[in-house]
Structures are given as structure tokens and as C-alpha cells.
């Protein structure tokens, strides 16, 4: 009786091992995708070298076919060594262009500044303005500002005054000149002291006055 029990235990120990090996097989657990790719040495990728050209979107063109490789590229011809693209001489963009589009082979100006900028201010085309009392300016169609500066005549006095909003100085008291340190009016003789009578040069107001000595009043003979 003891012998039969021992044989039965051995049989039970052997059977689970057999069941386990039969239940777990390689076919029940497929390999991962990475393992499948790594084990497949026969994978072939497309190679268009010498056969065609590919644009930015992945479209394939035949040899000799004309195509645009990208949205803003010049046209190309597919050759054995790759795309051979046009390189035209594009027109220069206007220096005042404020909006440039790159929708073709050459950049294109879509908007040109229609005003002039001068000393931080904007002016319309053909607008005339005076940035200072002595300047007269105009905004040209080229967006350039052209100015003319007034040429003031030499004042006929030694004490000219600059009035607000006026370019050139004015002689508020008329023509005059210096007699020493004294300003005398032009056109008349002026007795500047007891012994000297002076008058201004005609037309040369910047020159000192001409003076002549006269007999001094109150001078007693010795």
C-alpha cells in the first residue's frame, strides 16, 4: 500500500511539467513589431536617386519633368544628378516697401509706403510743410523729403530781432550802426558826446559810424 502511494506521487509531479511545456509555445506569443523588423533582413526602401526627384511634399517626378520643389521656389527640371532649378535675376525690392510676399520664384512687393517721414512726423505724398520758420519742404512721390532753406539778407541794423514764426531777423527800430558802444539811427547826424558828431555809413550798417570832432561846448580857452 505504501508503494502504490509513492508511485502515485511521482506521477502527479511529472504530469504538471508536461502540461506546462505543451501549453506555452512560441506560436501562442507573437514577437513584437520591433523584433519582426529587426529579424527581417529583406526590407527594401524606395531609392529615387537617378530615377526621379522628390518635392517638399514627397511627390515624385520623373526624369526630365519640370516641377516646383516648394511653395516659394523657382521651377526645376528633374535630372540624373537631382533638380536643376532656374535662378532668374529678380527685380530689386523698393526700399520703401512695407509688405513683401514670397509666393513665387521672386519676392514681390505688395505695398509701398505712401508717406514721408521727417523728424519723427509723417506727411502725405506731395504735402508741403514748414518744419521750421526758415524751411519749406515737400513730400515727394519717391517718399523722400526735399527742403529749401530761406536765404536771409544781411540786416540793416546791429540789433536785429527774431520774431516768432519768422525766418529772417527784422530791424524793429530801423537801420542803425555803432558809434563806439552807442547805437545810433542811420540817416542823421548824432551828437554822441560834447565833442563828437557821428553818422552811419550808407548801406554798410555793420561798419562803425563815422565821427567828427566839433568844438566842445563849455570849453574855456586858456
Amino acid at each position: 500500500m505504501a508503494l502504490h502511494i509513492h508511485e502515485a506521487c511521482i506521477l502527479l509531479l511529472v504530469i504538471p511539467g508536461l502540461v506546462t511545456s505543451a501549453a506555452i509555445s512560441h506560436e501562442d506569443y507573437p514577437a513584437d513589431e520591433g523584433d519582426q523588423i529587426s529579424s527581417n533582413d529583406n526590407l527594401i526602401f524606395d531609392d529615387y536617386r537617378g530615377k526621379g526627384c522628390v518635392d517638399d511634399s514627397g511627390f515624385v517626378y520623373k526624369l526630365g519633368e519640370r516641377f516646383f520643389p516648394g511653395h516659394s521656389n523657382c521651377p526645376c527640371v528633374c535630372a540624373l544628378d537631382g533638380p536643376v532649378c532656374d535662378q532668374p535675376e529678380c527685380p530689386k525690392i523698393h526700399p520703401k516697401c512695407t509688405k513683401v510676399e514670397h509666393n513665387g520664384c521672386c519676392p514681390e512687393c505688395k505695398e509701398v509706403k505712401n508717406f514721408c517721414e521727417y523728424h519723427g512726423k509723417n506727411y502725405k505724398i506731395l504735402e508741403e510743410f514748414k518744419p521750421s520758420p526758415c524751411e519749406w519742404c515737400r513730400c515727394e512721390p519717391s517718399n523722400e523729403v526735399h527742403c529749401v532753406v530761406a536765404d536771409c539778407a544781411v540786416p540793416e541794423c546791429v540789433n536785429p530781432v527774431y520774431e516768432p514764426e519768422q525766418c529772417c531777423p527784422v530791424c524793429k527800430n530801423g537801420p542803425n550802426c555803432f558809434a563806439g558802444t552807442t547805437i545810433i539811427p542811420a540817416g542823421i547826424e548824432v551828437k554822441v558826446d560834447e565833442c563828437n558828431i557821428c553818422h552811419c555809413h550808407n548801406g554798410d550798417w555793420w561798419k562803425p559810424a563815422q565821427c567828427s570832432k566839433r568844438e566842445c561846448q563849455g570849453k574855456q580857452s586858456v
Side-chain angles (χ1 to χ4, degrees):
M1 183 66 178
L3 179 60
H4 291 299
I5 295 173
H6 181 68
E7 291 176 352
C9 291
I10 294 174
L11 182 60
L12 291 173
L13 290 173
V14 173
I15 291 174
L18 294 174
V19 172
T20 304
S21 61
I24 302 175
S25 66
H26 184 71
E27 294 179 357
D28 293 335
Y29 292 91
D32 293 337
E33 185 179 354
D35 296 336
Q36 289 180 348
I37 294 176
S38 61
S39 61
N40 188 358
D41 296 331
N42 297 323
L43 229 99
I44 299 175
F45 295 96
D46 291 335
D47 186 0
Y48 295 102
R49 290 176 294 181
K51 302 176 183 178
C53 301
V54 184
D55 64 7
D56 292 349
S57 61
F59 194 86
V60 180
Y61 295 87
K62 298 178 182 178
L63 293 176
E65 192 171 0
R66 190 176 180 85
F67 70 102
F68 288 86
H71 176 65
S72 60
N73 296 92
C74 295
C76 302
V77 175
C78 183
L80 285 173
D81 296 331
V84 178
C85 303
D86 294 342
Q87 294 182 347
E89 185 176 349
C90 296
K92 293 182 179 180
I93 297 296
H94 195 285
K96 300 294 183 179
C97 185
T98 57
K99 184 179 180 181
V100 181
E101 289 187 359
H102 299 273
N103 293 328
C105 185
C106 292
E108 185 178 358
C109 180
K110 290 296 183 180
E111 185 176 336
V112 178
K113 186 173 67 173
N114 59 351
F115 61 90
C116 299
E117 185 176 353
Y118 190 75
H119 291 177
K121 294 184 179 180
N122 295 336
Y123 300 93
K124 298 178 181 179
I125 300 297
L126 300 181
E127 182 179 358
E128 298 178 358
F129 57 96
K130 292 187 67 175
S132 69
C134 289
E135 287 181 290
W136 176 85
C137 302
R138 186 174 74 169
C139 176
E140 301 293 342
S142 62
N143 300 109
E144 301 290 338
V145 174
H146 290 172
C147 295
V148 176
V149 180
D151 187 13
C152 296
V154 178
E156 297 181 346
C157 61
V158 294
N159 57 347
V161 177
Y162 286 88
E163 295 287 352
E165 302 303 323
Q166 288 188 0
C167 173
C168 299
V170 295
C171 296
K172 298 188 71 173
N173 298 319
N176 55 38
C177 66
F178 277 115
T181 57
T182 303
I183 297 176
I184 62 174
I188 59 174
E189 291 186 345
V190 178
K191 188 176 182 181
V192 295
D193 55 33
E194 293 295 327
C195 302
N196 293 288
I197 296 178
C198 303
H199 67 276
C200 296
H201 291 270
N202 292 329
D204 297 334
W205 315 113
W206 61 91
K207 294 182 180 180
Q210 289 180 327
C211 298
S212 59
K213 290 185 177 292
R214 299 292 177 88
E215 184 177 351
C216 300
Q217 294 181 359
K219 182 178 179 182
Q220 298 179 355
S221 59
V222 180

